[in-house]
Structure formats: structure tokens, C-alpha cells
Amino acid sequence: MKPQKKQIKKSKEEEVLKFQAIRPFGPTIIKGKLPENLVKLVDDKATSMLKDKKLVKEFDHSGQLAGNVKQEIRFPSEWMNTPEFLPMVHVISEMVKQYISIPPASETITPDYVGKMVIESMWFVSQWSGDFNPFHIHEGQLSGVFYLRVPPSLPEEYAQEDHYPTVGDIVWFDGRASTFSGHKFQHSPEVGDIFLFPNWLAHGVYPFRTKNEERRSVSFNLHLIKKEEEKQLLK
């Protein structure tokens, strides 16, 4: 017969010591995953635009952006208002609803306060070896990014970095480096990843080295119209 282990009774103090994490400060980033059909929809549109020299010239967006990259092309607003693009609008709209329901964002603006969402601009970034995006902020109120293509060689490149791997990563910065407080969030993108964050949150993209591989992402800015403002517009 095995000897029974002596049960040590917890004191009252030990039983009631429960803690709750509170995050009252700083910006929020939320992440989602796009379905494959929407990744294909937007990627196909980007590819068709890149094949048309006239469209590439007409919708060249590089002059408005901070990126040191091969091509940055704006999607036509006409296309973003079509039934074809509507499922993409729905995904972004759902992300916005979730975003403004999470504290501390929900304490500054609530879903009941918002009338509708307007996508002000959306563009894709075709990044190749050596290209990078320096730290910058966006226009609008909320900004987002999602990924259509990621170079297959990135994990191998990443593994070769000795102590601070960054190859092809996106990184957000806020505040300063200090004990007990985070000041950055870095992510190695995968196809379909989508992020939403405040337009004023500084972020940048690191370069990669492998030749003849493309990292293709899409960025967008949006504005939230208050219900009171929406009523005024309808008058």
C-alpha cells in the first residue's frame, strides 16, 4: 500500500491571491486571417494592374509614400466600390467593429457612436531584394496591412541572422524602451495575415536579400464617420 501524500492546506491569504492584467495605456493592434479567395481576388487585381503600363503610370502611388521599394500602386476607387470588392469591405468592417469594442479603444469611441466606415485609400507594395519601408505613419484614423505574397526563402534567411533577425518583418514602435513596458511589436508575415492599427502608430518594414522573389502587401487607410455627421451628409 502506497503511503499517502500529506495534504498541505493553503492559508486564507494564498487562496484569495488572484490577479488581473490591466492594459490601460497605449495603442492596440489586432490581427486576423483573410480567406484564400480574398487573397486571390486582390492579388489577381494587383497582377493585372502591374501588366498594364498605362495603369501603373496612372495609379503610381510612390510619390505619396515613404517606401524605398520597387513599386507602390494605388487601387482605383471605382474598383473598391464594386460588388466584386464588397467581401473585402465586409472583412475590414468586421475588424473595425471588433477593434473599437476592445479597451482602451472602446473608451475613446464606441460602435454605437459610429455611422459608417469609409476606405480613403488602398494600395499594394511590390517589394524585392534590398527594398525597405522606413518608419512612418499614415493618414486617416485607422490603417491596415495584409499580405498577398511572401518570399519562400524568408525562413531560411531569417535563420541565418545571428542575434536580431529582422528579414522581411514588419515592426510597430510606440513610446520608448523601458523596464516593465513594451515599445515594439515585430511580425514575420504570412500570406493572408491582416492587421489593423491607429494611423499614427509608427511602423516600418525590413529588407530581405534573396533575388527574384516578391513580398507583396496591401496597405489601406480608413475614416470612421460619426452618426451625427452621417445625418448631416444626408440632409
Side-chain angles (χ1 to χ4, degrees):
M1 188 174 179
K2 292 181 180 179
Q4 291 185 346
K5 291 182 180 179
K6 187 178 179 181
Q7 297 293 323
I8 301 174
K9 191 175 181 181
K10 291 183 178 180
S11 67
K12 266 189 175 181
E13 288 78 10
E14 287 177 308
E15 289 177 353
V16 298
L17 280 179
K18 295 181 180 179
F19 304 95
Q20 176 187 6
I22 300 173
R23 187 180 176 278
F25 311 115
T28 299
I29 299 172
I30 64 169
K31 177 190 175 188
K33 198 78 173 180
L34 287 177
E36 290 182 8
N37 65 307
L38 290 186
V39 172
K40 186 177 186 306
L41 169 73
V42 182
D43 191 54
D44 286 350
K45 183 65 175 180
T47 299
S48 68
M49 291 186 71
L50 285 171
K51 290 179 179 178
D52 190 324
K53 291 182 179 179
K54 185 179 177 182
L55 290 179
V56 167
K57 185 177 180 180
E58 181 181 356
F59 292 100
D60 176 38
H61 203 46
S62 58
Q64 309 296 319
L65 305 173
N68 286 274
V69 298
K70 187 174 180 64
Q71 287 178 313
E72 296 175 304
I73 312 296
R74 185 180 76 257
F75 286 115
S77 56
E78 294 81 5
W79 180 62
M80 293 191 295
N81 290 319
T82 62
E84 180 186 40
F85 191 74
L86 192 60
M88 191 70 234
V89 174
H90 176 71
V91 168
I92 296 174
S93 178
E94 287 302 306
M95 284 194 81
V96 170
K97 288 177 184 176
Q98 288 191 36
Y99 188 92
I100 60 180
S101 68
I102 301 170
S106 60
E107 295 170 4
T108 64
I109 185 169
T110 65
D112 292 338
Y113 184 70
V114 176
K116 68 175 183 177
M117 171 194 80
V118 177
I119 299 176
E120 296 179 339
S121 57
M122 179 177 284
W123 63 97
F124 66 91
V125 179
S126 179
Q127 180 183 351
W128 298 80
S129 174
D131 293 346
F132 66 95
N133 220 329
F135 286 99
H136 61 285
I137 62 174
H138 285 200
E139 297 178 345
Q141 288 179 319
L142 286 171
S143 296
V145 61
F146 58 92
Y147 297 90
L148 305 177
R149 300 186 184 189
V150 175
S153 64
L154 285 192
E156 185 179 344
E157 273 197 59
Y158 209 85
Q160 292 174 1
E161 297 288 317
D162 55 359
H163 66 284
Y164 191 88
T166 59
V167 177
D169 283 359
I170 182 171
V171 61
W172 291 265
F173 269 94
D174 184 63
R176 62 187 182 277
S178 56
T179 308
F180 311 124
S181 178
H183 71 290
K184 73 162 190 167
F185 172 61
Q186 185 174 325
H187 177 73
S188 298
E190 297 180 359
V191 172
D193 286 350
I194 181 170
F195 293 90
L196 192 67
F197 51 93
N199 71 297
W200 47 262
L201 184 58
H203 57 287
V205 177
Y206 290 106
F208 57 92
R209 304 178 186 88
T210 304
K211 304 289 184 181
N212 303 317
E213 290 186 1
E214 181 187 13
R215 179 188 186 277
R216 186 181 291 183
S217 61
V218 175
S219 296
F220 58 90
N221 297 327
L222 58 89
H223 186 81
L224 304 178
I225 297 180
K226 302 173 187 176
K227 286 184 177 179
E228 291 179 1
E229 292 176 349
E230 191 177 17
K231 290 176 183 177
Q232 291 297 321
L233 291 172
L234 293 173
K235 287 183 179 179

mmCIF file of all heavy atoms in Angstrom, residues 15-39:
data_model
loop_
_atom_site.group_PDB
_atom_site.id
_atom_site.type_symbol
_atom_site.label_atom_id
_atom_site.label_comp_id
_atom_site.label_asym_id
_atom_site.label_seq_id
_atom_site.Cartn_x
_atom_site.Cartn_y
_atom_site.Cartn_z
ATOM 1 N N GLU A 15 -5.201 31.484 -0.856
ATOM 2 C CA GLU A 15 -6.407 31.148 -1.613
ATOM 3 C C GLU A 15 -7.011 32.356 -2.311
ATOM 4 O O GLU A 15 -7.607 32.237 -3.368
ATOM 5 C CB GLU A 15 -7.438 30.523 -0.672
ATOM 6 C CG GLU A 15 -7.041 29.123 -0.217
ATOM 7 C CD GLU A 15 -8.042 28.546 0.767
ATOM 8 O OE1 GLU A 15 -8.958 29.290 1.177
ATOM 9 O OE2 GLU A 15 -7.908 27.370 1.130
ATOM 10 N N VAL A 16 -6.857 33.513 -1.753
ATOM 11 C CA VAL A 16 -7.501 34.687 -2.344
ATOM 12 C C VAL A 16 -6.548 35.520 -3.207
ATOM 13 O O VAL A 16 -6.947 36.519 -3.783
ATOM 14 C CB VAL A 16 -8.102 35.612 -1.248
ATOM 15 C CG1 VAL A 16 -9.174 34.883 -0.484
ATOM 16 C CG2 VAL A 16 -7.021 36.127 -0.315
ATOM 17 N N LEU A 17 -5.282 35.091 -3.315
ATOM 18 C CA LEU A 17 -4.328 35.860 -4.112
ATOM 19 C C LEU A 17 -4.543 35.608 -5.606
ATOM 20 O O LEU A 17 -3.934 34.727 -6.205
ATOM 21 C CB LEU A 17 -2.896 35.506 -3.720
ATOM 22 C CG LEU A 17 -2.364 36.161 -2.460
ATOM 23 C CD1 LEU A 17 -0.948 35.706 -2.191
ATOM 24 C CD2 LEU A 17 -2.397 37.675 -2.581
ATOM 25 N N LYS A 18 -5.436 36.359 -6.207
ATOM 26 C CA LYS A 18 -5.692 36.284 -7.640
ATOM 27 C C LYS A 18 -5.455 37.661 -8.241
ATOM 28 O O LYS A 18 -5.795 38.672 -7.634
ATOM 29 C CB LYS A 18 -7.121 35.815 -7.903
ATOM 30 C CG LYS A 18 -7.382 34.394 -7.436
ATOM 31 C CD LYS A 18 -8.800 33.967 -7.734
ATOM 32 C CE LYS A 18 -9.049 32.551 -7.256
ATOM 33 N NZ LYS A 18 -10.445 32.126 -7.526
ATOM 34 N N PHE A 19 -4.875 37.644 -9.458
ATOM 35 C CA PHE A 19 -4.503 38.918 -10.073
ATOM 36 C C PHE A 19 -5.107 39.047 -11.470
ATOM 37 O O PHE A 19 -5.344 38.061 -12.158
ATOM 38 C CB PHE A 19 -2.975 39.033 -10.161
ATOM 39 C CG PHE A 19 -2.297 38.885 -8.829
ATOM 40 C CD1 PHE A 19 -1.802 37.659 -8.423
ATOM 41 C CD2 PHE A 19 -2.181 39.966 -7.972
ATOM 42 C CE1 PHE A 19 -1.186 37.512 -7.199
ATOM 43 C CE2 PHE A 19 -1.570 39.836 -6.744
ATOM 44 C CZ PHE A 19 -1.073 38.602 -6.355
ATOM 45 N N GLN A 20 -5.334 40.258 -11.865
ATOM 46 C CA GLN A 20 -5.915 40.551 -13.180
ATOM 47 C C GLN A 20 -4.989 41.508 -13.932
ATOM 48 O O GLN A 20 -4.524 42.500 -13.368
ATOM 49 C CB GLN A 20 -7.294 41.211 -13.019
ATOM 50 C CG GLN A 20 -7.915 41.634 -14.334
ATOM 51 C CD GLN A 20 -9.191 42.439 -14.121
ATOM 52 O OE1 GLN A 20 -9.538 42.759 -12.984
ATOM 53 N NE2 GLN A 20 -9.862 42.778 -15.199
ATOM 54 N N ALA A 21 -4.710 41.171 -15.190
ATOM 55 C CA ALA A 21 -3.884 42.055 -16.010
ATOM 56 C C ALA A 21 -4.725 43.228 -16.495
ATOM 57 O O ALA A 21 -5.837 43.041 -16.996
ATOM 58 C CB ALA A 21 -3.311 41.299 -17.201
ATOM 59 N N ILE A 22 -4.220 44.415 -16.335
ATOM 60 C CA ILE A 22 -4.908 45.634 -16.772
ATOM 61 C C ILE A 22 -4.021 46.345 -17.791
ATOM 62 O O ILE A 22 -2.838 46.557 -17.545
ATOM 63 C CB ILE A 22 -5.196 46.564 -15.583
ATOM 64 C CG1 ILE A 22 -6.092 45.849 -14.570
ATOM 65 C CG2 ILE A 22 -5.858 47.863 -16.052
ATOM 66 C CD1 ILE A 22 -6.295 46.613 -13.283
ATOM 67 N N ARG A 23 -4.580 46.680 -18.954
ATOM 68 C CA ARG A 23 -3.808 47.339 -20.002
ATOM 69 C C ARG A 23 -4.475 48.669 -20.361
ATOM 70 O O ARG A 23 -5.198 48.781 -21.345
ATOM 71 C CB ARG A 23 -3.741 46.442 -21.236
ATOM 72 C CG ARG A 23 -2.831 46.944 -22.325
ATOM 73 C CD ARG A 23 -2.825 46.007 -23.524
ATOM 74 N NE ARG A 23 -2.023 46.556 -24.592
ATOM 75 C CZ ARG A 23 -2.451 47.462 -25.463
ATOM 76 N NH1 ARG A 23 -3.677 47.926 -25.366
ATOM 77 N NH2 ARG A 23 -1.662 47.919 -26.414
ATOM 78 N N PRO A 24 -4.260 49.694 -19.536
ATOM 79 C CA PRO A 24 -4.981 50.946 -19.749
ATOM 80 C C PRO A 24 -4.315 51.911 -20.722
ATOM 81 O O PRO A 24 -4.922 52.886 -21.129
ATOM 82 C CB PRO A 24 -5.010 51.553 -18.343
ATOM 83 C CG PRO A 24 -3.729 51.078 -17.736
ATOM 84 C CD PRO A 24 -3.464 49.718 -18.297
ATOM 85 N N PHE A 25 -3.048 51.638 -21.086
ATOM 86 C CA PHE A 25 -2.324 52.621 -21.877
ATOM 87 C C PHE A 25 -1.900 52.040 -23.226
ATOM 88 O O PHE A 25 -1.741 50.842 -23.388
ATOM 89 C CB PHE A 25 -1.060 53.084 -21.138
ATOM 90 C CG PHE A 25 -1.315 53.475 -19.713
ATOM 91 C CD1 PHE A 25 -0.758 52.760 -18.668
ATOM 92 C CD2 PHE A 25 -2.134 54.560 -19.421
ATOM 93 C CE1 PHE A 25 -0.995 53.117 -17.355
ATOM 94 C CE2 PHE A 25 -2.379 54.924 -18.104
ATOM 95 C CZ PHE A 25 -1.815 54.201 -17.071
ATOM 96 N N GLY A 26 -1.677 52.933 -24.157
ATOM 97 C CA GLY A 26 -1.058 52.548 -25.415
ATOM 98 C C GLY A 26 -2.031 52.085 -26.480
ATOM 99 O O GLY A 26 -3.181 51.743 -26.205
ATOM 100 N N PRO A 27 -1.558 52.063 -27.726
ATOM 101 C CA PRO A 27 -2.394 51.674 -28.862
ATOM 102 C C PRO A 27 -2.589 50.162 -28.944
ATOM 103 O O PRO A 27 -1.804 49.386 -28.408
ATOM 104 C CB PRO A 27 -1.583 52.173 -30.067
ATOM 105 C CG PRO A 27 -0.165 52.113 -29.601
ATOM 106 C CD PRO A 27 -0.204 52.468 -28.142
ATOM 107 N N THR A 28 -3.651 49.765 -29.632
ATOM 108 C CA THR A 28 -3.967 48.354 -29.833
ATOM 109 C C THR A 28 -3.775 47.985 -31.293
ATOM 110 O O THR A 28 -4.124 48.752 -32.188
ATOM 111 C CB THR A 28 -5.415 48.056 -29.418
ATOM 112 O OG1 THR A 28 -5.574 48.354 -28.027
ATOM 113 C CG2 THR A 28 -5.771 46.596 -29.649
ATOM 114 N N ILE A 29 -3.216 46.805 -31.530
ATOM 115 C CA ILE A 29 -3.121 46.227 -32.871
ATOM 116 C C ILE A 29 -3.934 44.944 -32.848
ATOM 117 O O ILE A 29 -3.788 44.136 -31.926
ATOM 118 C CB ILE A 29 -1.661 45.893 -33.239
ATOM 119 C CG1 ILE A 29 -0.789 47.147 -33.238
ATOM 120 C CG2 ILE A 29 -1.588 45.202 -34.592
ATOM 121 C CD1 ILE A 29 0.700 46.864 -33.402
ATOM 122 N N ILE A 30 -4.794 44.738 -33.838
ATOM 123 C CA ILE A 30 -5.482 43.456 -33.913
ATOM 124 C C ILE A 30 -5.095 42.753 -35.212
ATOM 125 O O ILE A 30 -4.799 43.391 -36.227
ATOM 126 C CB ILE A 30 -7.012 43.571 -33.783
ATOM 127 C CG1 ILE A 30 -7.639 44.350 -34.933
ATOM 128 C CG2 ILE A 30 -7.400 44.171 -32.465
ATOM 129 C CD1 ILE A 30 -9.156 44.240 -34.936
ATOM 130 N N LYS A 31 -5.105 41.422 -35.152
ATOM 131 C CA LYS A 31 -4.673 40.600 -36.280
ATOM 132 C C LYS A 31 -5.782 39.645 -36.684
ATOM 133 O O LYS A 31 -6.519 39.139 -35.836
ATOM 134 C CB LYS A 31 -3.418 39.814 -35.889
ATOM 135 C CG LYS A 31 -2.914 38.859 -36.974
ATOM 136 C CD LYS A 31 -1.829 37.945 -36.427
ATOM 137 C CE LYS A 31 -1.429 36.911 -37.469
ATOM 138 N NZ LYS A 31 -0.517 35.890 -36.913
ATOM 139 N N GLY A 32 -5.899 39.398 -37.984
ATOM 140 C CA GLY A 32 -6.847 38.427 -38.490
ATOM 141 C C GLY A 32 -6.226 37.638 -39.625
ATOM 142 O O GLY A 32 -5.049 37.796 -39.950
ATOM 143 N N LYS A 33 -7.035 36.779 -40.239
ATOM 144 C CA LYS A 33 -6.573 35.963 -41.365
ATOM 145 C C LYS A 33 -7.606 36.037 -42.481
ATOM 146 O O LYS A 33 -8.786 35.725 -42.281
ATOM 147 C CB LYS A 33 -6.396 34.509 -40.910
ATOM 148 C CG LYS A 33 -5.522 33.695 -41.839
ATOM 149 C CD LYS A 33 -4.056 34.007 -41.620
ATOM 150 C CE LYS A 33 -3.160 33.076 -42.421
ATOM 151 N NZ LYS A 33 -1.711 33.368 -42.206
ATOM 152 N N LEU A 34 -7.169 36.485 -43.651
ATOM 153 C CA LEU A 34 -8.066 36.578 -44.794
ATOM 154 C C LEU A 34 -8.292 35.201 -45.403
ATOM 155 O O LEU A 34 -7.348 34.399 -45.503
ATOM 156 C CB LEU A 34 -7.481 37.491 -45.864
ATOM 157 C CG LEU A 34 -7.462 38.987 -45.604
ATOM 158 C CD1 LEU A 34 -6.764 39.707 -46.762
ATOM 159 C CD2 LEU A 34 -8.873 39.531 -45.437
ATOM 160 N N PRO A 35 -9.506 34.914 -45.869
ATOM 161 C CA PRO A 35 -9.730 33.657 -46.598
ATOM 162 C C PRO A 35 -8.987 33.677 -47.935
ATOM 163 O O PRO A 35 -8.713 34.738 -48.497
ATOM 164 C CB PRO A 35 -11.254 33.638 -46.795
ATOM 165 C CG PRO A 35 -11.690 35.050 -46.631
ATOM 166 C CD PRO A 35 -10.735 35.694 -45.688
ATOM 167 N N GLU A 36 -8.655 32.497 -48.430
ATOM 168 C CA GLU A 36 -7.850 32.377 -49.650
ATOM 169 C C GLU A 36 -8.488 33.063 -50.852
ATOM 170 O O GLU A 36 -7.785 33.633 -51.691
ATOM 171 C CB GLU A 36 -7.602 30.898 -49.966
ATOM 172 C CG GLU A 36 -6.671 30.207 -48.987
ATOM 173 C CD GLU A 36 -6.408 28.759 -49.361
ATOM 174 O OE1 GLU A 36 -6.822 28.347 -50.467
ATOM 175 O OE2 GLU A 36 -5.797 28.034 -48.555
ATOM 176 N N ASN A 37 -9.819 33.022 -50.942
ATOM 177 C CA ASN A 37 -10.471 33.624 -52.108
ATOM 178 C C ASN A 37 -10.281 35.139 -52.156
ATOM 179 O O ASN A 37 -10.159 35.733 -53.235
ATOM 180 C CB ASN A 37 -11.961 33.275 -52.136
ATOM 181 C CG ASN A 37 -12.736 33.873 -50.975
ATOM 182 O OD1 ASN A 37 -12.362 33.695 -49.820
ATOM 183 N ND2 ASN A 37 -13.816 34.582 -51.266
ATOM 184 N N LEU A 38 -10.213 35.793 -50.983
ATOM 185 C CA LEU A 38 -9.998 37.236 -50.970
ATOM 186 C C LEU A 38 -8.533 37.581 -51.242
ATOM 187 O O LEU A 38 -8.245 38.587 -51.890
ATOM 188 C CB LEU A 38 -10.440 37.827 -49.632
ATOM 189 C CG LEU A 38 -11.939 37.833 -49.376
ATOM 190 C CD1 LEU A 38 -12.265 38.564 -48.081
ATOM 191 C CD2 LEU A 38 -12.698 38.465 -50.530
ATOM 192 N N VAL A 39 -7.612 36.749 -50.756
ATOM 193 C CA VAL A 39 -6.200 36.942 -51.097
ATOM 194 C C VAL A 39 -6.029 36.862 -52.613
ATOM 195 O O VAL A 39 -5.368 37.704 -53.221
ATOM 196 C CB VAL A 39 -5.312 35.878 -50.402
ATOM 197 C CG1 VAL A 39 -3.878 35.962 -50.913
ATOM 198 C CG2 VAL A 39 -5.334 36.072 -48.890
#
